[in-house]
Amino acid sequence: MAAAAPAIEVLDLAKSFGEARALDGVSVSIGENEFFTLLGPSGCGKTTLLRMIAGFDFPDAGEIRLHGRDIAGQPPFARPVNTVFQNYALFPHMTVAQNIGFGLEMQGKRHTEIAARVDAMLALVRMEALRERRTSQLSGGQQQRVALARALAPQPRVLLLDEPLSALDLKLRKEMQGELKRLQLETGITFIFVTHDQEEALTMSDRVAVMSGGRILQVGTPREIYDSPRDRFVADFIGEANFLAGEIAGIEGQHARVRLAAGGTVEAGLPAGLAPNGRATVFVRPEHAELRADGGDFRGKLDRVVYFGTDTHLHIRLADGSDFVLRQQNSPGGHFGLDPGAEVAVAFKPGAARVLRD
Amino acid sequence: MARPHSVRHQRGFTFVALLCFFLLYLPMATMVVFAFNAGNTLGDLDGFSLRWFRAAWQNDQIVEALLRSLTVAPVAACLATVAATMAALATTRTTPYRGLAAKVAFLNQPLVVPEIVTAVALLVVFARIKVWTGYTGLGYLIAAHTAFCIPFAYLPIRARLETMDLSLERAAADLYARPWAVFRWITLPLLWPGILAGFMLAFVVSLDDVVITEFIKSAGQETLPTYMLGQLRRNVTPEMNAISTVFLAISVAVVSLFFLLNRKKT
Ligand SMILES: Nc1ncnc2c1ncn2[C@@H]1O[C@H](COP(=O)(O)OP(=O)(O)OP(=O)(O)O)[C@@H](O)[C@H]1O
Ligand SMILES: [Mg+2]
């Protein structure tokens, strides 16, 4: 993905509001035609980063390059970058068509061209019938579509979307997720999408950047982020995770043998550049472990069994008192054979366990 | 209780409300009725007539004062509204800083300082300027009226600005609108009801002013209110009722006009 020339390159960006460091040395490179997602908890600096790229605020230090050109000092109207606002920010005194045509109007395009482009945009977001409506007479989903059409109409190089779906109910949200993805593929515009919904990030993005405390912790494809998180925060923030305390018993290339506090020794992948010794944390997803009749990597006592429809969650109490959650796919008609209190053996699927930076 | 609690269900509410209404409007109604009195006195009704309106209309002093009022008030209200709009933008479209509250307070000074004090102060200053420049025209009145009208125009404009979504202006800038275009196409249209309300208030306040005008007017520069005040010292005729009724009509007309304009906008 990042092979093409970067559309946006952010270098060592820093921004403080008084004492608070909203951005603390952020560097990231976002490719042409990429659906790039910023994911992180509230207050981690996602909006701040987006505002810098849009030009609503200016960094204390660092560079923002658009196709190689530094734009960090340019005002918003000079940047070929458009924004879809969280509250849509549609102009209430204009019709749908006037809203969509506003950017083109300001660019001084000819009226025939504007009309044609507005029509094309209305078709793209399937809103032809509501051309002359006031924006106050639209539903949330319709306003969302107008906001998208308005931002896409001037054909920006990059589209910024700050939690555009958070105001919609669940069903509409799912529908708009698909719609957004389709628009991105059809227009070929680079999307930078902000969310704190991990599922949204995983299903829609080409790549995801996980942020925390004004820093980017990890950038990767959804699969990389989910399967191979580099540190505990990323592992914990995305999906569910088990963390097992242990001690390094030996290292061979990209693998470590870890003696678990709960008993047993496991093989775990090492993130690049990490060479721990002594204490270490081993991470494994609940669905990347399975029950064994005997043997297995370690043993524990079944504590609770929770049925979830598609799968069943088994809570296992380990020897050192910690909890381990294991997720089993359900099959039709089957029922779970073990009762709480039973001794069980757990094995990791190949490549499932990884050592984490703490 | 089945009914949601409302102050309207309080015992005696209707009585108090009606009393207030009467006290507010009874005098005005009386004045209007007596303006059409055919008799010579302020006390007894002697049938219907337009004679006092005719008399007022034929009184050159009154017509001149009315025209002067209708020159000063719109000009001062326009200037005050423009100044107030700029002041409101400057005090809301900025990140708060030390001294901002003080600036707003200074701006609203005419609301706080007794008018008579301002009047004396202006008298002193303008008297000097009149001596130096020799100019004795309407400019002084317009300048003074503009100054004390600004806070009245400022308040509704600022109130409107504060409820306006900042992200609209940001969205316009994002869509390639330069600062002036943002103001022209987004801020101004959305602010318009506030500006109209501000203008209307300023207009009525200027039209009505007695104290400052009385102090600083040059010889013969009567506005309608100062003329009427002057007449009180001689004999009060039903002419006064007629002028006041016309005055009331102008105020009501202006307020209704702006109310209609506003409703069409939003
Ligand atoms: N204008 C501002 N003044 C002061 N502090 C600010 C300002 N804008 C942001 N901050 C601070 O900067 C940090 C990052 O804020 P930001 O809005 O970027 O977070 P976010 O990741 O978008 O969060 P959310 O998911 O809640 O939208 C926060 O600690 C916030 O309090
Ligand atoms: Mg945010």
Side-chain angles (χ1 to χ4, degrees):
Chain A
M1 274 304 149
I8 289 274
E9 234 180 329
V10 172
L11 296 171
D12 262 327
L13 212 61
K15 177 75 181 179
S16 300
F17 297 101
E19 288 294 291
R21 296 198 125 231
L23 291 180
D24 192 5
V26 168
S27 295
V28 66
S29 175
I30 300 167
E32 194 77 64
N33 301 350
E34 196 171 16
F35 197 118
F36 191 88
T37 298
L38 298 172
L39 176 66
S42 192
C44 71
K46 307 181 295 289
T47 298
T48 306
L49 179 55
L50 224 55
R51 286 167 50 83
M52 303 278 158
I53 299 176
F56 302 139
D57 213 334
F58 299 96
D60 298 336
E63 275 179 42
I64 302 167
R65 296 208 187 123
L66 179 73
H67 295 280
R69 209 159 42 88
D70 186 10
I71 57 164
Q74 284 183 356
F77 59 80
R79 303 184 187 199
V81 170
N82 289 348
T83 306
V84 176
F85 292 83
Q86 183 170 359
N87 63 351
Y88 316 135
L90 297 177
F91 305 132
H93 56 303
M94 297 183 191
T95 63
V96 167
Q98 286 169 334
N99 263 279
I100 297 175
F102 187 83
L104 300 161
E105 197 95 44
M106 291 299 118
Q107 285 179 320
K109 293 278 190 321
R110 277 178 302 123
H111 281 272
T112 46
E113 191 186 336
I114 295 177
R117 187 106 191 98
V118 168
D119 285 337
M121 282 299 123
L122 284 167
L124 187 69
V125 297
R126 304 184 180 128
M127 290 274 296
E128 294 98 324
L130 301 176
R131 203 173 197 289
E132 298 306 326
R133 277 277 184 90
R134 288 267 160 170
T135 55
S136 53
Q137 301 161 343
L138 298 178
S139 73
Q142 290 166 338
Q143 291 185 25
Q144 171 72 83
R145 280 164 211 268
V146 176
L148 271 167
R150 185 179 70 175
L152 285 170
Q155 291 173 297
R157 311 297 290 269
V158 176
L159 190 71
L160 308 176
L161 306 103
D162 192 355
E163 305 200 33
L165 307 181
S166 62
L168 304 178
D169 62 46
L170 190 66
K171 189 170 169 299
L172 203 53
R173 198 172 169 143
K174 294 274 176 234
E175 192 183 314
M176 285 307 297
Q177 285 178 3
E179 194 87 337
L180 270 180
K181 194 68 193 162
R182 175 180 69 84
L183 284 175
Q184 197 259 333
L185 291 174
E186 277 178 31
T187 57
I189 292 172
T190 303
F191 276 34
I192 306 181
F193 181 84
V194 164
T195 182
H196 53 233
D197 180 332
Q198 40 138 331
E199 185 189 309
E200 213 164 82
L202 294 179
T203 55
M204 298 174 72
S205 324
D206 292 322
R207 284 194 306 155
V208 179
V210 182
M211 292 183 70
S212 169
R215 293 169 168 278
I216 291 185
L217 298 180
Q218 188 171 357
V219 181
T221 63
R223 183 172 280 279
E224 284 167 2
I225 297 276
Y226 187 79
D227 283 349
S228 324
R230 266 218 303 266
D231 56 32
R232 185 166 181 146
F233 181 88
V234 176
D236 206 19
F237 191 71
I238 298 181
E240 286 173 54
N242 291 298
F243 300 105
L244 299 165
E247 211 160 318
I248 302 283
I251 292 180
E252 284 166 42
Q254 287 307 304
H255 292 273
R257 294 182 49 72
V258 183
R259 201 175 310 113
L260 299 179
T265 302
V266 296
E267 187 92 358
L270 270 181
L274 192 65
N277 48 34
R279 301 167 59 79
T281 301
V282 172
F283 142 89
V284 68
R285 298 279 178 205
E287 70 277 19
H288 292 167
E290 53 196 7
L291 285 190
R292 284 284 162 77
D294 48 18
D297 288 314
F298 56 89
R299 306 180 67 80
K301 195 178 271 183
L302 194 57
D303 191 32
R304 272 187 304 142
V305 178
V306 187
Y307 177 74
F308 264 87
T310 55
D311 47 23
T312 301
H313 294 196
L314 312 177
H315 294 257
I316 298 162
R317 174 67 46 85
L318 303 184
D320 64 341
S322 60
D323 262 327
F324 187 91
V325 183
L326 185 153
R327 212 185 273 181
Q328 250 184 4
Q329 189 84 27
N330 290 328
S331 46
H335 64 91
F336 191 72
L338 295 169
D339 289 321
E343 276 278 325
V344 291
V346 179
F348 296 156
K349 292 178 182 171
R354 295 184 63 83
V355 175
L356 283 186
R357 232 187 276 267
D358 261 310
Chain B
M1 246 204 290
R3 263 188 325 204
H5 180 75
S6 159
V7 69
R8 291 173 59 187
H9 304 135
Q10 200 82 34
R11 284 169 62 102
F13 175 83
T14 313
F15 172 74
V16 173
L18 282 180
L19 186 69
C20 290
F21 234 70
F22 263 115
L23 291 178
L24 261 177
Y25 289 104
L26 192 65
M28 260 192 253
T30 316
M31 176 197 82
V32 173
V33 168
F34 274 89
F36 294 96
N37 190 5
N40 273 327
T41 63
L42 287 167
D44 306 300
L45 267 181
D46 277 329
F48 177 87
S49 127
L50 290 176
R51 65 177 279 213
W52 296 114
F53 287 93
R54 213 173 300 120
W57 183 246
Q58 280 159 1
N59 183 335
D60 286 344
Q61 279 179 310
I62 293 178
V63 173
E64 201 187 304
L66 177 67
L67 288 181
R68 195 168 289 114
S69 277
L70 290 182
T71 309
V72 173
V75 173
C78 272
L79 293 175
T81 308
V82 171
T85 305
M86 294 195 286
L89 283 169
T91 48
T92 52
R93 291 295 181 265
T94 176
T95 44
Y97 55 90
R98 268 177 60 120
L100 181 62
K103 271 187 202 171
V104 173
F106 272 124
L107 211 63
N108 288 332
Q109 167 267 338
L111 296 180
V112 188
V113 175
E115 203 184 346
I116 194 94
V117 174
T118 314
V120 172
L122 284 175
L123 174 69
V124 173
V125 175
F126 284 170
R128 281 281 125 205
I129 298 177
K130 279 179 196 176
V131 171
W132 285 337
T133 61
Y135 172 71
T136 55
L138 269 187
Y140 300 105
L141 274 186
I142 290 174
H145 279 226
T146 302
F148 71 71
C149 284
I150 287 176
F152 293 96
Y154 174 82
L155 291 175
I157 296 173
R158 182 184 168 119
R160 180 88 188 174
L161 265 178
E162 273 175 347
T163 58
M164 231 168 90
D165 185 359
L166 258 180
S167 64
L168 294 177
E169 289 164 18
R170 217 173 280 141
D174 188 56
L175 291 162
Y176 313 107
R178 284 158 185 282
W180 174 248
V182 174
F183 179 74
R184 170 67 189 82
W185 300 110
I186 308 298
T187 317
L188 192 59
L190 293 173
L191 195 54
W192 197 240
I195 293 179
L196 281 180
F199 177 85
M200 185 193 77
L201 264 177
F203 182 84
V204 172
V205 166
S206 163
L207 202 62
D208 181 48
D209 182 72
V210 176
V211 178
I212 289 180
T213 311
E214 184 67 36
F215 269 75
I216 64 171
K217 66 179 204 274
S218 304
Q221 268 183 356
E222 301 286 0
T223 62
L224 207 49
T226 60
Y227 171 80
M228 290 162 73
L229 194 70
Q231 290 305 299
L232 276 185
R233 291 190 210 113
R234 295 168 212 169
N235 58 330
V236 181
T237 67
E239 211 177 32
M240 282 296 119
N241 290 332
I243 306 172
S244 301
T245 303
V246 171
F247 224 40
L248 180 66
I250 293 175
S251 305
V252 171
V254 169
V255 174
S256 318
L257 181 73
F258 286 116
F259 181 73
L260 287 177
L261 279 177
N262 251 350
R263 213 178 38 176
K264 230 176 63 192
K265 279 276 168 196
T266 44

